[in-house]
């Protein structure tokens, strides 16, 4: 579990700079240049995510159970993941009503994803992994709401329809085809 925790610290730590040290971040961007900052940020993030995922997989080989979730929680996860995918896609599709209304749909998607997976997983490693992401998402959303909002972009029905279509297709592909390949665990 130590490798997973190290990965989480690296990945979520880099993604927490705006939460805890936004002025320092701005200074570093000024000092290093935006592209160099993004390159270093990306490198540390990729290493952290790879370690977290690898450590998560290793943790599953010898789990410590904290609680045994009811089987029905898997259905709750399947249901909650639909809005999570729609929120995730809304972060990237321009001019959609979801992003215009919520402001930070990717962070909200992480909240829903992490919460849903906490419901259906009772191993200590699962609780640490998904709990860390949920805590980060709560703190990041709060910090983002305090920052100056991005300039308003008028949403269009076409952007929202694209968001819904891509989100539904992504949900279908991941839930029914890719989840087992990526995680080794079937959805149902």
């Amino acid at each position: 579990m130590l490798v997973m925790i190290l990965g989480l610290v690296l990945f979520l730590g880099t993604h927490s700079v705006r939460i805890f040290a936004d002025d320092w971040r701005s200074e570093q961007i000024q000092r290093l240049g935006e592209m160099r900052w993004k390159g270093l940020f990306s490198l540390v993030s990729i290493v952290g995510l790879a370690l977290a995922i690898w450590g998560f997989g290793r943790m599953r080989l010898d789990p410590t159970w904290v609680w045994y979730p009811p089987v029905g929680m898997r259905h709750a996860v399947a249901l909650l993941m639909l809005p999570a995918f729609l929120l995730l896609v809304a972060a990237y599709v321009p001019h959609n009503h979801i992003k215009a209304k919520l402001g930070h749909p990717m962070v909200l998607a992480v909240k829903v994803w992490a919460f849903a997976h906490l419901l259906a997983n009772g191993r200590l490693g699962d609780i640490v992994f998904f709990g860390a992401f949920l805590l980060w998402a709560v703190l990041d959303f709060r910090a983002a709401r305090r920052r100056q909002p991005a300039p308003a972009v008028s949403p269009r029905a076409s952007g929202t329809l694209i968001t819904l279509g891509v989100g539904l297709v992504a949900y279908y592909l991941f839930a029914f085809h890719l989840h087992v390949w990526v995680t080794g665990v079937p959805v149902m």
Side-chain angles (χ1 to χ4, degrees):
M1 187 165 350
L2 187 60
V3 172
M4 180 184 76
I5 292 172
L6 175 63
L8 288 170
V9 167
L10 286 173
F11 182 77
L12 296 175
T14 55
H15 285 80
S16 297
V17 172
R18 287 200 81 182
I19 299 170
F20 299 108
D22 200 23
D23 292 339
W24 178 83
R25 175 185 170 273
S26 297
E27 290 170 12
Q28 298 311 308
I29 291 171
Q30 189 74 9
R31 186 173 70 81
L32 298 170
E34 187 173 355
M35 294 311 291
R36 197 161 165 216
W37 169 261
K38 285 182 177 182
L40 289 170
F41 181 93
S42 298
L43 180 63
V44 173
S45 294
I46 290 168
V47 168
L49 187 60
L51 286 172
I53 291 169
W54 183 62
F56 182 76
R58 303 273 310 149
M59 171 277 307
R60 293 177 61 223
L61 298 175
D62 187 24
T64 301
W65 287 92
V66 175
W67 72 296
Y68 294 95
V71 175
M73 286 299 157
R74 296 179 105 188
H75 299 287
V77 174
L79 181 63
L80 288 169
M81 288 311 297
L82 182 57
F85 270 92
L86 295 173
L87 289 165
L88 181 64
V89 171
Y92 294 102
V93 175
H95 303 286
N96 70 76
H97 287 83
I98 298 168
K99 185 173 183 174
K101 181 72 173 168
L102 300 177
H104 305 283
M106 182 191 287
V107 177
L108 292 172
V110 172
K111 278 185 185 181
V112 174
W113 167 79
F115 176 73
H117 283 78
L118 281 170
L119 291 176
N121 294 285
R123 293 175 297 232
L124 179 61
D126 296 320
I127 294 167
V128 170
F129 187 82
F130 296 114
F133 274 97
L134 180 58
L135 176 62
W136 170 82
V138 167
L139 294 173
D140 191 58
F141 188 77
R142 192 176 80 192
R145 301 287 281 186
R146 291 181 180 157
R147 288 192 293 269
Q148 183 71 25
V153 176
S154 55
R156 295 187 212 129
S158 60
T160 304
L161 289 173
I162 291 169
T163 300
L164 294 174
V166 171
L168 289 171
V169 169
Y171 171 79
Y172 168 78
L173 289 174
F174 198 78
F176 295 103
H177 301 285
L178 297 175
H179 194 272
V180 127
W181 181 74
V182 172
T183 68
V185 179
V187 171
M188 293 287 173

